[in-house]
């Protein structure tokens, strides 16, 4: 597969009306390959079958990159050819490989550098153009006050804007936010201006470096991308104002939520509710102007884009994998010491074995602080190694009376109870299991499995605060039969 900037260049030239023969002359890519990528309708990342083998050229790529970057400031007739770079590699480095791999890398890097050139920013915005940025906001998430981020996509022509809430600002969040808005409005902006610090990419000097997932996305949807220059807020002033407006109108007072996906679906509907606002210059409603934006949008592709980035990790002896800045997630006790594929999404993270079978799924954690592991995730390991019970997260999450009772149990009995807890956690939450254990222990002085399961059924059906159903009043029948009290 050729590199993504080259694919996007091919598709862009085709949209401009160039023939395949002309595209071949400009890019050096064969016509069968050109036809292949013009016909491709899904650029979603694929589950990797195996990790890429290293190249003999890898240690020398920074050397080649420095030569090519230096050539940007040199008269074009005195720039390095691939042959001259190869000769310099032989003379100035210990490189012992062949010329072919050097030629291929130089061609790819030159294509990437050419594709990353950006056009000037237009300050008069046409229908169908958009700007994107992130803003910070505090929310109450699952009972805890946390700082989150909202992705904003604004349409400067109409001043309509749409927001989506995320726990991070990664490329997965950018792509998911764009996809959600595209599907909500029924089309794709033909050009989007991005802030230089979003998870989409970064512009330093004249060079743009894009996240791989985002490159795939804008190839999939066909929109063009412009990156604002650093410290140039005027180049995307509409979305910067929209971020402040959204914080006041959509996130004040501080919202409370348990499900980010459900909150985001409602958030898009709330954004629609402001279509009646009057444009500050055009003195027409946002919604009325947005119909002209909508008419200029590109159509949605036939296949939806999968906003997932794949990586790999090794499962440790506790059945956990450390990824994403040191966050630990439980995968599978049986996978200890083995590699797994990691699927990073905007809201969740999943782990799969080499056959592509999903082993575990979790809510994704962002930032550098490592969150506490799920107490239930260690129960299988603790059942086999009850000696680790005293220092386990599972014990720390129990009520004090249950923890003390389990501390006093013999190893075999403790192991049996932990096995039962693991089984119960398949149907009830860990908090519900802990509540049932505490209630049964307080009433009976023991933790018999049958009693706990009955209490769990009551908690699930009625809650601990509800009185049990005592059935209908039969006193009238007692009177008729002469069974009443004397």
């Amino acid at each position: 597969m050729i590199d993504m900037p080259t694919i996007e260049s091919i598709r862009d030239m085709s949209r401009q009306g160039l023939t395949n023969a002309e595209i071949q002359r400009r890019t050096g890519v064969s016509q069968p390959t050109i036809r292949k990528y013009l016909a491709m309708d899904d650029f979603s990342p694929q589950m990797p079958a195996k990790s890429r083998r290293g190249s003999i050229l890898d240690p020398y790529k920074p050397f080649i990159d420095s030569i090519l970057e230096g050539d940007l400031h040199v008269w074009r007739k005195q720039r390095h050819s691939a042959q001259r770079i190869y000769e310099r590699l032989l003379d100035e480095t210990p490189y012992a490989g062949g010329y072919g791999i050097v030629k291929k890398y130089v061609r790819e890097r030159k294509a990437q550098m050419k594709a990353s050139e950006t056009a000037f920013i237009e300050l008069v915005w046409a229908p169908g153009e958009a700007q994107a940025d992130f803003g910070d906001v505090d929310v109450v998430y699952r009972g805890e006050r946390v700082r989150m981020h909202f992705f904003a996509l604004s349409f400067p022509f109409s001043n309509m804007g749409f927001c989506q809430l995320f726990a991070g600002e990664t490329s997965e969040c950018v792509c998911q936010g764009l996809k959600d808005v595209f599907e909500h409005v029924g089309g794709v902006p033909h050009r989007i201006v991005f802030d230089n610090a979003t998870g989409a990419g970064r512009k330093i000097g004249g060079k743009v470096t894009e996240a791989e997932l985002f490159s795939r996305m804008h190839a999939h949807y066909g929109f063009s991308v412009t990156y604002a220059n650093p410290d140039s807020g005027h180049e995307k002033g509409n979305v910067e104002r929209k971020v402040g407006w959204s914080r006041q109108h959509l996130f004040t007072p501080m919202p409370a939520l348990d499900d980010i996906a459900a909150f985001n679906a409602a958030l898009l509907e709330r954004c629609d509710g402001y279509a009646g606002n009057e444009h500050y210059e055009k003195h027409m409603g946002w919604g009325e102007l947005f119909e002209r934006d909508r008419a200029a949008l590109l159509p949605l592709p036939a296949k939806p884009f999968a906003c997932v980035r794949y990586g790999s990790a090794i499962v440790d002896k506790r059945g956990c994998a450390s990824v994403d800045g040191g966050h630990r997630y439980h995968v599978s006790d049986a996978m200890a010491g083995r590699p797994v594929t990691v699927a990073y999404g905007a809201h969740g993270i999943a782990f799969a074995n080499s056959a592509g079978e999903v082993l575990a799924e979790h809510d994704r954690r962002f930032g550098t602080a490592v969150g506490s592991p799920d107490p239930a995730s260690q129960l299988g390991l603790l059942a086999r190694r009850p000696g680790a019970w005293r220092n386990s997260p599972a014990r720390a999450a129990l009520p004090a009376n249950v923890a003390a009772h389990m501390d006093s149990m013999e190893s075999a009995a403790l192991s049996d109870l932990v096995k039962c807890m693991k089984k119960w956690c398949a149907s009830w939450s860990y908090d519900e299991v802990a509540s049932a254990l505490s209630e049964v222990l307080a009433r009976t002085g023991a933790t018999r499995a049958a009693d706990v399961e009955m209490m769990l059924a009551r908690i699930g059906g009625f809650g601990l605060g509800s009185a049990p159903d005592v059935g209908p009043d039969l006193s009238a029948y007692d009177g008729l039969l002469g069974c009443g009290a004397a």
Side-chain angles (χ1 to χ4, degrees):
M1 178 177 175
I2 59 178
D3 58 282
M4 287 306 304
T6 303
I7 295 172
E8 178 59 18
S9 296
I10 289 170
R11 292 168 68 89
D12 187 59
M13 285 187 273
S14 178
R15 288 193 290 268
Q16 295 173 20
L18 274 66
T19 64
N20 290 357
E22 179 61 26
I23 295 173
Q24 181 184 20
R25 283 192 291 272
R26 293 193 181 192
T27 64
V29 179
S30 67
Q31 290 198 43
T33 302
I34 291 171
R35 288 193 293 272
K36 170 186 172 182
Y37 287 108
L38 290 179
M40 187 177 291
D41 61 355
D42 190 0
F43 286 83
S44 299
Q46 301 298 313
M47 181 80 73
K50 59 181 180 180
S51 53
R52 174 185 170 274
R53 294 179 60 184
S55 165
I56 192 174
L57 190 62
D58 285 346
Y60 308 100
K61 287 179 180 179
F63 177 82
I64 297 174
D65 290 348
S66 66
I67 294 175
L68 294 177
E69 289 166 4
D71 277 352
L72 295 175
H73 309 289
V74 175
W75 184 36
R76 62 180 180 82
K77 292 188 177 183
Q78 286 182 274
R79 293 175 181 173
H80 289 73
S81 65
Q83 178 65 38
R84 181 66 186 117
I85 291 176
Y86 173 65
E87 292 168 354
R88 287 191 60 183
L89 276 170
L90 296 180
D91 293 339
E92 302 174 28
T93 75
Y95 176 69
Y99 168 67
I101 192 172
V102 176
K103 180 180 178 181
K104 179 176 182 293
Y105 180 73
V106 170
R107 182 177 66 245
E108 292 173 350
R109 287 296 292 130
K110 285 185 175 180
Q112 291 171 349
M113 295 167 77
K114 181 179 180 180
S116 66
E117 294 174 0
T118 56
F120 64 93
I121 303 292
E122 297 178 3
L123 298 181
V124 176
W125 297 89
E129 293 182 310
Q131 300 177 6
D133 203 357
F134 272 101
D136 294 335
V137 67
D138 284 350
V139 301
V140 178
Y141 180 57
R142 296 178 179 175
E144 181 181 355
R145 179 172 175 170
V146 294
R147 178 71 48 86
M148 286 194 176
H149 314 272
F150 65 94
F151 175 80
L153 187 72
S154 70
F155 293 81
F157 177 81
S158 63
N159 207 34
M160 278 293 286
F162 301 89
C163 297
Q164 292 285 269
L165 185 68
F166 297 97
E169 294 187 8
T170 63
S171 59
E172 301 85 66
C173 299
V174 173
C175 292
Q176 188 65 55
L178 287 172
K179 179 182 177 181
D180 292 346
V181 175
F182 293 169
E183 292 179 352
H184 179 73
V185 303
V188 180
H190 56 81
R191 183 168 80 100
I192 305 178
V193 177
F194 282 85
D195 182 81
N196 192 47
T198 65
R202 181 174 291 275
K203 178 179 179 183
I204 301 176
K207 180 181 178 182
V208 171
T209 302
E210 279 190 349
E212 170 73 11
L213 182 65
F214 181 74
S215 287
R216 288 178 174 274
M217 185 181 197
H218 76 74
H220 187 96
Y221 284 95
F223 59 87
S224 63
V225 179
T226 301
Y227 290 94
N229 290 300
D231 302 318
S232 300
H234 63 283
E235 296 180 353
K236 53 177 182 59
N238 183 268
V239 74
E240 291 201 345
R241 290 191 295 271
K242 187 62 68 178
V243 165
W245 181 92
S246 299
R247 189 181 287 113
Q248 285 295 313
H249 290 80
L250 301 175
F251 296 98
T252 303
M254 188 188 312
L257 60 138
D258 294 318
D259 185 330
I260 296 179
F263 178 83
N264 279 341
L267 190 58
L268 291 172
E269 299 295 333
R270 290 181 61 196
C271 293
D272 286 338
Y274 289 96
N277 285 17
E278 184 177 290
H279 192 281
Y280 60 95
E281 289 181 342
K282 299 173 183 175
H283 306 297
M284 297 172 64
W286 292 359
E288 184 180 357
L289 291 167
F290 187 64
E291 290 307 311
R292 293 179 60 184
D293 270 318
R294 200 190 301 271
L297 298 178
L298 302 172
L300 291 169
K303 295 182 179 179
F305 184 75
C307 303
V308 181
R309 175 174 58 87
Y310 291 107
S312 61
I314 301 295
V315 178
D316 63 23
K317 293 181 179 180
R318 296 177 175 83
C320 296
S322 295
V323 297
D324 225 6
H327 291 290
R328 294 180 72 246
Y329 299 89
H330 187 259
V331 180
S332 169
D333 298 341
M335 291 294 292
R338 298 169 62 186
V340 290
T341 296
V342 188
Y344 299 92
H347 303 300
I349 188 168
F351 299 86
N353 60 20
S354 58
E357 298 170 338
V358 176
L359 303 170
E361 295 179 283
H362 300 277
D363 289 341
R364 187 176 174 187
R365 299 190 291 267
F366 291 84
T368 55
V370 180
S372 299
D374 177 10
S377 68
Q378 295 288 304
L379 293 176
L381 192 60
L382 287 168
R384 297 195 300 273
R385 301 177 184 175
W389 168 256
R390 290 283 188 134
N391 301 106
S392 68
R395 180 191 181 280
L398 290 174
N401 65 328
V402 179
H405 173 75
M406 294 179 71
D407 290 347
S408 67
M409 297 174 74
E410 295 291 337
S411 179
L414 175 62
S415 178
D416 289 341
L417 181 54
V418 172
K419 287 178 184 177
C420 289
M421 291 172 65
K422 178 176 174 59
K423 180 184 72 173
W424 297 330
C425 283
S427 302
W428 290 278
S429 71
Y430 193 82
D431 287 342
E432 288 173 329
V433 171
S435 296
L437 284 166
S438 180
E439 189 72 13
V440 168
L441 182 62
R443 296 187 183 196
T444 69
T447 52
R448 286 183 291 271
D451 294 338
V452 176
E453 289 174 0
M454 185 176 295
M455 185 60 65
L456 281 168
R458 178 181 166 191
I459 291 173
F462 308 103
L464 277 174
S466 301
D469 185 0
V470 296
D473 184 0
L474 302 178
S475 59
Y477 293 96
D478 291 340
L480 288 172
L481 296 173
C483 299

